[in-house]
């Protein structure tokens, strides 16, 4: 794209939300650093109609002309799981693959980042609180706390919106990189699973994202992996569901909460570092040591 041509991106004026902030930030990533971009916050239709990209305002959803609103009657469609598109999702649906380099990565980013923004913007709850007065900190809250409070000057809203764009861009770009590595790691874990004879114990040579992958298979009880940060090896229990904290098999009770020599005495294996008090994980200094501990745990 010609870097000398000014490109205009319009979002609505007044209060801002996470979906329009992240929609604008996504467009800036797509357009690149060398494009001359002007960001306008307005509801003036004469300005909107002349703009290159319009998000969350204007009453039109038409990706062919880069109009990405979902407030019109009937909305702007929904995903197969029922979560409706907000402006972030509409922009991501068109440009996510180009930003990520693959449809698979773009889909993962949509699941991890975009849908959790689109859902509440459309009045869809995706979380049920366990405690009445405690709620998880999500992107919606992290955006909300930067907006002027009732005691602060609302005339600064546009400046605050613009100041948050680098924050939003950073999160999007980091999520893209995370999703790429996550998918590659999952594939390596799946390969290890397929090549393992005794599928109760899966051994990997790095800290790949194994939780979701191995929970889908019925056989694995433990996973062993290498910790490159401190040159140790870990064993962890596999959960029945990667979203729960119910483990298929805990480590032996006699290991619970023990460290160093005390753990070595409890296991009879040299190199013991520690075992978590809740018995879902333990660490050894060597691969040989952690595999001996895994054998004991499997037969306990």
């Amino acid at each position: 794209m010609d870097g000398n041509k000014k490109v205009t991106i319009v979002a609505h004026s007044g209060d801002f939300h996470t979906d329009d902030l992240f929609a604008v930030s996504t467009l800036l990533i797509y357009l690149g650093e060398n494009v001359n971009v002007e960001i306008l916050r307005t509801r003036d239709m004469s300005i909107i109609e002349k703009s290159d990209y319009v998000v969350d305002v204007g009453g039109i959803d038409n990706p062919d002309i880069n109009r990405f609103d979902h407030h019109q009657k009937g909305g702007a469609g929904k995903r197969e799981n029922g979560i409706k598109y907000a402006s972030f999702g509409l922009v991501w649906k068109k440009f996510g693959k180009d930003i990520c380099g693959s449809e698979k990565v773009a889909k993962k980013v949509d699941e991890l980042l975009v849908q959790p923004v689109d859902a509440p913007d459309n009045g869809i709850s995706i979380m049920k609180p366990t405690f009445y007065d405690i709620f998880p900190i999500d992107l919606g809250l992290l955006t909300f706390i930067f907006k002027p409070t009732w005691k602060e000057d609302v005339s600064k809203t546009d400046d605050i919106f613009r100041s948050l764009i680098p924050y939003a861009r950073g999160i999007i770009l980091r999520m893209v990189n995370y999703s790429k590595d996550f998918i590659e790691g999952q594939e390596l874990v799946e390969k290890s699973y397929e090549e393992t004879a005794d599928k109760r114990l899966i051994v990997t040579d790095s800290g790949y994202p194994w939780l979701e992958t191995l929970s889908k298979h019925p056989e694995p009880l433990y996973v062993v992996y290498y910790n490159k940060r401190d040159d140790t090896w870990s064993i962890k229990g596999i959960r029945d569901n990667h979203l729960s904290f119910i483990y298929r098999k805990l480590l032996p009770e006699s290991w619970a909460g023990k460290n160093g020599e005390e753990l070595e005495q409890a296991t009879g294996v040299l190199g013991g570092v520690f075992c978590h008090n809740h018995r879902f994980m333990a660490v050894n200094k060597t691969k040989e040591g952690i595999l001996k501990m895994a054998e004991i745990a499997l037969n306990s």
Side-chain angles (χ1 to χ4, degrees):
M1 185 174 290
D2 183 3
N4 296 318
K5 179 183 180 296
K6 181 180 285 187
V7 175
T8 54
I9 299 175
V10 168
H12 60 75
S13 56
D15 198 8
F16 63 83
H17 303 96
T18 312
D19 76 314
D20 42 296
L21 172 63
F22 275 73
V24 170
S25 301
T26 298
L27 289 173
L28 291 173
I29 293 170
Y30 170 73
L31 292 170
E33 298 286 347
N34 297 323
V35 177
N36 182 13
V37 178
E38 182 179 19
I39 299 169
L40 304 173
R41 302 191 73 237
T42 182
R43 296 183 187 272
D44 186 330
M45 289 304 298
S46 65
I47 297 176
I48 289 171
E49 289 170 358
K50 296 176 183 178
S51 297
D52 298 295
Y53 299 87
V54 181
V55 302
D56 217 36
V57 69
I60 294 175
D61 167 37
N62 186 343
D64 293 336
I65 57 172
N66 295 319
R67 299 287 292 271
F68 306 100
D69 196 14
H70 67 112
H71 293 101
Q72 60 274 15
K73 185 177 180 180
K78 59 185 179 181
R79 299 166 177 84
E80 290 183 6
N81 63 5
I83 293 181
K84 297 177 181 178
Y85 285 97
S87 62
F88 186 19
L90 294 174
V91 170
W92 191 256
K93 183 166 61 169
K94 179 172 181 179
F95 299 113
K97 180 181 177 180
D98 291 330
I99 291 172
C100 295
S102 85
E103 191 67 53
K104 192 171 185 179
V105 174
K107 182 177 183 294
K108 191 65 181 178
V109 175
D110 184 69
E111 294 170 352
L112 293 175
L113 179 63
V114 187
Q115 292 191 47
V117 171
D118 279 12
D121 197 81
N122 283 298
I124 301 170
S125 176
I126 59 173
M127 293 182 290
K128 294 181 179 180
T130 302
F131 301 96
Y132 177 77
D133 55 348
I134 300 176
F135 297 89
I137 295 177
D138 62 4
L139 279 176
L141 177 58
L142 290 176
T143 303
F144 182 83
I145 63 174
F146 285 100
K147 295 192 286 187
T149 70
W150 63 274
K151 295 176 69 175
E152 296 173 333
D153 184 1
V154 295
S155 68
K156 303 291 186 182
T157 300
D158 285 2
D159 292 337
I160 295 171
F161 180 88
R162 289 182 174 86
S163 74
L164 290 174
I165 287 173
Y167 148 83
R169 289 178 80 253
I171 290 175
I172 294 166
L173 289 171
R174 184 59 190 165
M175 186 62 80
V176 170
N177 187 71
Y178 170 85
S179 297
K180 287 179 180 178
D181 290 353
F182 183 89
I183 290 169
E184 182 181 353
Q186 278 193 317
E187 291 170 351
L188 291 170
V189 171
E190 186 66 33
K191 185 173 184 289
S192 294
Y193 168 82
E194 292 172 356
E195 294 176 351
T196 298
D198 184 353
K199 298 186 186 303
R200 296 179 302 163
L201 176 68
I202 308 301
V203 181
T204 70
D205 58 5
S206 187
Y208 303 131
W210 48 265
L211 179 58
E212 186 176 341
T213 299
L214 295 184
S215 293
K216 292 178 181 178
H217 295 294
E219 309 98 331
L221 300 177
Y222 300 112
V223 61
V224 160
Y225 59 90
Y226 176 63
N227 304 300
K228 62 181 179 181
R229 289 183 182 86
D230 56 6
D231 191 28
T232 60
W233 288 80
S234 291
I235 180 171
K236 275 194 177 181
I238 305 299
R239 306 173 191 174
D240 269 331
N241 182 320
H242 72 282
L243 298 177
S244 78
F245 288 95
I246 300 174
Y247 293 88
R248 293 174 180 171
K249 185 177 176 64
L250 294 173
L251 297 171
E253 189 171 355
S254 62
W255 300 4
K258 290 184 169 59
N259 299 275
E261 291 183 6
E262 192 178 17
L263 179 60
E264 291 179 343
Q265 292 174 3
T267 61
V269 179
L270 294 177
V273 177
F274 83 94
C275 177
H276 197 283
N277 191 47
H278 291 162
R279 297 190 287 137
F280 65 87
M281 73 167 295
V283 178
N284 193 286
K285 294 177 182 178
T286 68
K287 183 177 183 180
E288 180 184 9
I290 204 69
L291 290 176
K292 287 181 180 179
M293 291 173 67
E295 183 180 0
I296 294 169
L298 284 171
N299 295 322
S300 64

